[in-house]
Amino acid sequence: QALLVESGGGSVQPGGSLRLSCAASGFTLGYYIIGWFRQAPGKEREGVSCINAIGSRDGDTYYADSVKGRFTISRDDAKNMVYLQMNSLNVDDTAIYYCVMLGRCGGSSFPPPRNWGQGTQVTVAS
């Protein structure tokens, strides 16, 4: 059974940085389009970023406007991991972050995720 496990969340002050990690169990991450979604308190889940799979537009990335220039998604095929480096964090980035599988990456919006991890909490507060 495909399983995504997130880690790396925590509490940070505004302007700080965190790196989230997504590990796969039972499959090779590089063969799938992987993304990050988040859900802030009282808000809908929203797409944050995604990265294309090996072979098809390999390495192409996409970001929500709200995080563009601050967040960077990357993939380490040797470790079977996907990362989300988050810099210049602000209070609006406070949310549970989920590693997800997607059917596509790019275009005008994020598609509904195919499955979800358990999530990791990110809290930005002074």
Side-chain angles (χ1 to χ4, degrees):
Q1 180 180 357
L3 181 66
L4 298 168
V5 180
E6 305 93 339
S7 62
S11 296
V12 64
Q13 293 186 338
S17 298
L18 283 173
R19 188 178 79 157
L20 305 183
S21 299
C22 175
S25 176
F27 67 101
T28 301
L29 273 175
Y31 295 148
Y32 296 86
I33 299 170
I34 302 298
W36 289 92
F37 269 57
R38 67 184 182 185
Q39 186 169 25
K43 295 186 177 180
E44 299 283 327
R45 288 175 174 175
E46 62 176 358
V48 175
S49 182
C50 56
I51 186 166
N52 271 294
I54 294 170
S56 175
R57 302 177 65 182
D58 184 16
D60 282 6
T61 58
Y62 179 76
Y63 299 92
D65 287 343
S66 58
V67 306
K68 202 171 293 183
R70 300 187 298 121
F71 291 11
T72 302
I73 190 170
S74 62
R75 195 180 69 228
D76 187 329
D77 294 332
K79 296 182 178 180
N80 203 28
M81 299 283 288
V82 169
Y83 303 101
L84 185 68
Q85 178 66 43
M86 305 186 297
N87 299 328
S88 301
L89 286 162
N90 58 61
V91 296
D92 292 333
D93 296 317
T94 296
I96 300 173
Y97 284 71
Y98 299 90
C99 182
V100 300
M101 298 176 71
L102 298 170
R104 60 172 173 82
C105 179
S108 60
S109 64
F110 291 89
R114 293 178 170 178
N115 64 338
W116 298 80
Q118 294 297 310
T120 185
Q121 176 71 49
V122 171
T123 302
V124 184
S126 56

